[in-house]
Amino acid sequence: MFDANFYDVQTDEEFWVSGPKRDRTDTRYGPSDPEIEPEALDAYSAFLEGAPLPGRTADLAPSRAGLPGS
């Protein structure tokens, strides 16, 4: 893969990983549903609902101040 951003150190398989996006545009090429590992599904779902990503504190999450409904 010419523009991989990660690789498996055991197999040398290259792949691209997207950061999660609340608008669900996580995929690389075109609209499709991202593949979510079962172990990450609860954290991903909470993130979509507005929770900070695991390992980040609430003060690092994007501010919603001034947005409609806030």
Side-chain angles (χ1 to χ4, degrees), residues 24-66:
R24 299 180 189 221
T25 59
D26 302 41
T27 58
R28 180 116 192 227
Y29 301 111
S32 67
D33 292 330
E35 182 178 328
I36 309 299
E37 297 282 332
E39 302 84 27
L41 188 55
D42 288 341
Y44 182 74
S45 297
F47 170 75
L48 292 177
E49 296 294 322
L53 288 172
R56 296 200 176 176
T57 60
D59 59 323
L60 293 178
S63 173
R64 298 189 58 80

